[in-house]
Amino acid sequence: MDIDQLKYFQSVAETKSFTESATRMNLSQPALSRSIQRLEEEFGQPFFERKPRSVELTDAGLLFQRSATQILRILEDTRAEITDDGETGKIRIGAIPTIAPYFLPNLLKQFSNAFPRSQLIVHENTTDELLKRIKQGEIDLAILAEPISEKYVEVKPLMEEELCLLLPPDHPLCDKDRISMKDVEEEPFVMLDEAHCLSENIHSFCRQRSFLPVAVERANQLATVQELVSLSHGISMIPEMARRLDRSKRRVYKSFVSPRPTRRIVCVTNPYRFQSRLFAEFRDRLCEYSKNF
């Protein structure tokens, strides 16, 4: 068994495809298949269940994947520590979909300009999946919204952000100066799917006001929620960072009277992993960027 075999195994486990993994690893598919087969023969167990259009990890494969992940992570951390010059390296950043497209672009541009030999890789996913990847060492840092219930991770507050009321332009509340939560108790809401923490943020705030929003439609993307509200499918609550970038005149944003609904944005890292000088620089700039965002 060698390091390349571990990398090939990880790629197939991640993509669930020999064809896609061969392309990703710049190998022919027969060569990749032979490498995995030799690995399975060495351990005397099949690691993958071959299906017509995909592959799935067997029980033995799941066990081997945990060990392979740890080995590759240790090697990567060791390499990063040895070559740590504060200028070069790879930083893998995770962010939830209600943060990534609104918060990250300018930050990434500024950092890339300051450190042109660095490589920034963005992973966009749900909170649960990103926390899992943080703990497994697959990403270095995640930008999430509270609550964070995961143990053995380091959580650093970045900023508090208002959740704005989103209305179609012909809604009666558009003409009202002071809007309270009581004004929207009976309104139909367009929400993100429950996998997105923004939905839980909204539900949590509403529960504190003794009501639950009635979701008449759910969507996978914030942009879809905005469009559905434009078409008068309901109302919604949208993060301030998304409101800033919305140039549409088919939607109206309003602030609630105090106490306004908010969400807290945090930075999550794995304190048990090696953190390079370049990573520390990015984390410091992230904190400073958040203060002025």
Side-chain angles (χ1 to χ4, degrees):
M1 179 179 66
D2 58 36
I3 299 304
D4 284 340
Q5 283 179 302
L6 290 180
K7 291 179 179 178
Y8 299 158
F9 168 85
Q10 286 287 68
S11 179
V12 176
E14 181 180 335
T15 63
K16 297 184 178 181
S17 167
F18 278 90
T19 302
E20 185 176 342
S21 292
T23 301
R24 176 187 292 189
M25 306 303 291
N26 198 26
L27 282 175
S28 68
Q29 186 171 333
L32 176 62
S33 297
R34 285 195 299 271
S35 178
I36 297 296
Q37 187 176 2
R38 286 196 297 270
L39 195 61
E40 292 174 321
E41 289 172 351
E42 182 176 344
F43 283 84
Q45 293 284 343
F47 289 152
F48 294 101
E49 180 184 351
R50 277 74 169 173
K51 297 183 177 181
R53 296 189 177 182
S54 66
V55 295
E56 296 288 343
L57 286 167
T58 62
D59 289 343
L62 288 169
L63 181 61
F64 186 76
Q65 185 185 34
R66 289 197 291 270
S67 297
T69 298
Q70 292 175 349
I71 294 169
L72 291 173
R73 185 180 65 198
I74 291 170
L75 287 172
E76 185 174 344
D77 285 351
T78 302
R79 185 182 297 109
E81 190 169 1
I82 291 172
T83 61
D84 185 17
D85 61 1
E87 297 287 338
T88 60
K90 181 189 299 182
I91 302 175
R92 296 159 300 183
I93 305 151
I96 54 178
T98 58
I99 290 178
Y102 313 106
F103 180 80
L104 282 180
N106 285 336
L107 172 64
L108 300 181
K109 181 179 180 181
Q110 292 173 17
F111 193 83
S112 294
N113 288 339
F115 296 89
R117 291 190 292 159
S118 67
Q119 184 180 3
L120 304 177
I121 301 172
V122 176
H123 299 264
E124 186 177 308
N125 216 314
T126 61
T127 297
D128 288 345
E129 184 62 28
L130 291 175
L131 287 172
K132 177 183 174 183
R133 293 188 178 189
I134 280 284
K135 294 188 72 172
Q136 291 179 343
E138 296 175 8
I139 58 176
D140 302 302
L141 172 151
I143 304 170
L144 309 173
E146 289 188 333
I148 304 297
S149 58
E150 193 73 38
K151 296 180 179 179
Y152 311 117
V153 294
E154 185 175 4
V155 180
K156 184 178 180 62
L158 293 176
M159 64 183 187
E160 193 107 357
E161 179 188 34
E162 179 184 358
L163 299 179
C164 305
L165 178 63
L166 176 61
L167 302 165
D170 57 352
H171 197 283
L173 288 177
C174 291
D175 297 325
K176 190 169 183 177
D177 293 330
R178 295 174 59 81
I179 300 176
S180 69
M181 294 301 293
K182 198 163 189 63
D183 293 319
V184 301
E185 285 184 4
E186 305 299 325
E187 295 286 341
F189 272 71
V190 180
M191 306 275 282
L192 283 173
D193 286 339
E194 292 179 353
H196 296 275
C197 61
L198 179 60
S199 293
E200 176 54 32
N201 293 146
I202 295 171
H203 276 113
S204 177
F205 186 83
C206 292
R207 278 196 298 268
Q208 296 171 24
R209 303 301 177 276
S210 302
F211 86 97
L212 284 178
V214 178
V216 292
E217 289 192 56
R218 290 190 179 272
N220 286 319
Q221 297 182 16
L222 206 52
T224 306
V225 172
Q226 291 170 306
E227 285 301 315
L228 289 172
V229 171
S230 298
L231 297 171
S232 298
H233 286 227
I235 67 173
S236 194
M237 292 164 68
I238 300 293
E240 167 65 18
M241 63 176 65
R243 183 203 66 79
R244 289 186 196 178
L245 296 182
D246 191 355
R247 299 292 180 261
S248 174
K249 296 181 180 180
R250 298 181 295 115
R251 294 183 280 271
V252 175
Y253 292 88
K254 293 277 190 176
S255 291
F256 288 97
V257 294
S258 183
R260 295 177 177 178
T262 61
R263 66 172 180 173
R264 178 177 289 186
I265 309 301
V266 297
C267 166
V268 181
T269 56
N270 185 338
Y272 303 102
R273 290 204 64 202
F274 168 73
Q275 297 179 352
S276 67
R277 291 162 54 195
L278 184 70
F279 172 81
E281 182 68 35
F282 179 83
R283 184 184 53 203
D284 291 345
R285 287 179 178 241
L286 167 63
C287 294
E288 192 63 31
Y289 179 79
S290 300
K291 294 177 183 176
N292 304 311
F293 185 73

